[in-house]
């Protein structure tokens, strides 16, 4: 989380490249993230997908945002990761959050 906080100092284009390389995320060149913390293990953000400011996404194994999907501002998205103590006996379980094409979450 501290690294992502420090990345806010960089312009979006450079921050996108760094997020893709450092966290192995797949963020499309036309996608955009505001001042938000995305702490999913796998993060796929397709063309023209958007995340507004002041969002936190944590304890999610896989977050997928399809083309044109949108997460507004001031949202907390959380789940129970497969690494969570409670689910240690279910190794095939995965916590996923998928926003389909042109769908959204707003506040």
């Amino acid at each position: 989380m501290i690294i992502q906080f420090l990345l806010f100092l960089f312009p979006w284009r450079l921050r996108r490249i760094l997020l893709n390389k450092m966290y192995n995320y797949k963020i499309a060149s036309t996608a955009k993230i505001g001042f938000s913390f995305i702490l999913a293990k796998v993060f796929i953000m397709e063309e023209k997908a958007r995340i507004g400011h002041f969002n936190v996404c944590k304890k999610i194994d896989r977050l997928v945002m399809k083309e044109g999907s949108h997460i507004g501002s001031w949202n907390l998205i959380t789940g129970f990761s497969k690494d969570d103590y409670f689910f240690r006996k279910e190794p095939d379980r995965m916590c996923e959050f998928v926003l389909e094409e042109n769908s959204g979450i707003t506040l």
Side-chain angles (χ1 to χ4, degrees), residues 44 46 60 62-67 69 71 77 94-101 103-105:
I44 301 168
E46 294 182 1
I60 302 286
R62 186 170 178 260
L63 172 63
V64 178
M65 294 182 69
K66 303 272 179 137
E67 184 175 348
S69 60
I71 296 176
I77 301 168
M94 183 174 254
C95 180
E96 295 183 318
F97 184 73
V98 179
L99 277 172
E100 293 294 335
E101 286 186 19
S103 62
I105 297 175

Side-chain angles (χ1 to χ4, degrees), residues 27-72:
I27 303 171
S29 61
T30 58
K32 181 142 173 58
I33 302 175
F35 294 110
S36 295
F37 292 105
I38 307 301
L39 303 172
K41 290 184 174 124
V42 175
F43 181 41
I44 301 168
M45 198 172 182
E46 294 182 1
E47 300 295 325
K48 299 178 185 173
R50 300 269 186 263
I51 297 178
H53 298 297
F54 311 114
N55 294 289
V56 176
C57 178
K58 63 182 184 173
K59 294 186 178 182
I60 302 286
D61 294 318
R62 186 170 178 260
L63 172 63
V64 178
M65 294 182 69
K66 303 272 179 137
E67 184 175 348
S69 60
H70 177 83
I71 296 176

Side-chain angles (χ1 to χ4, degrees), residues 2-14:
I2 293 172
I3 292 172
Q4 283 199 23
F5 182 76
L6 292 174
L7 290 177
F8 287 143
L9 301 173
F10 295 98
W12 167 243
R13 287 182 182 163
L14 181 56

